[in-house]
Amino acid sequence: MRTLPWRDGARELRRLVAAAGGDPDHLADVDLAWHAFRAFLAVPLDGLYDRWEGTDVEADTLVVEFPVADWPDGPPGLLLARRFAVPAVEWHDGVPGRSPDDGTLDLADTVQVELELTFPRGTTGDADEFWTAARSGEFDSADLAEAEELVTGLALGRTVRSRIALESCN
């Protein structure tokens, strides 16, 4: 399978949503969102920074969280995020810049490609934050099945808006 530069992750997720029959700018179906996101998790990302050797992995992580909100009384959202470490870069107006080429900066930034689905006020669901780490593109099928059960089991209904973005977590 081809690798994808991490900077192109949000664009690839948008492409996968459209290929599954969804509108990346207004994704209304949770099941379709999950299946497109799961397909995105299978794509190996290039340029990740894994600080650990051996079995300890932190370079690529799936995070599922519900509810999330923009403000304390905001409508609830479901966050599907692929969080990963990359060599430190400067961000300008929400866009990642270049890493220093001279090798003097041996730091990592944490970034994520996120798909957030927002639901009407009053939508409830019972979910703890879920996360699992893997080598890029190699998420365990049992972990993915558990995440799918969580996401689809929430039975949240249709969204009022959606968003796909590449974000810095730093």
Side-chain angles (χ1 to χ4, degrees), residues 44-117:
L45 298 176
D46 187 37
L48 303 189
Y49 182 78
D50 195 349
R51 290 175 277 217
W52 310 109
E53 297 294 327
T55 59
D56 293 325
V57 181
E58 70 171 352
D60 203 352
T61 305
L62 163 64
V63 178
V64 178
E65 192 174 357
F66 181 85
V68 294
D70 288 338
W71 58 88
D73 295 332
L78 171 65
L79 177 69
L80 303 176
R82 184 171 180 181
R83 186 175 297 161
F84 43 89
V86 298
V89 297
E90 291 185 19
W91 289 72
H92 305 282
D93 298 321
V95 178
R98 296 190 52 131
S99 297
D101 292 331
D102 61 6
T104 59
L105 192 58
D106 189 25
L107 301 173
D109 283 342
T110 303
V111 298
Q112 64 189 26
V113 174
E114 53 188 40
L115 191 163
E116 187 172 357
L117 304 172

Side-chain angles (χ1 to χ4, degrees), residues 5 7 11 17 34 44 46 63 76 78 83 85 110-112 114 121 123 128 134 136 151-153 156 159 165-166:
R7 295 167 188 268
R11 182 178 18 229
V17 166
W34 169 253
D46 187 37
V63 178
L78 171 65
R83 186 175 297 161
T110 303
V111 298
Q112 64 189 26
E114 53 188 40
R121 290 183 193 278
T123 302
D128 292 325
S136 184
V151 170
T152 59
L156 298 172
T159 66
L166 174 67

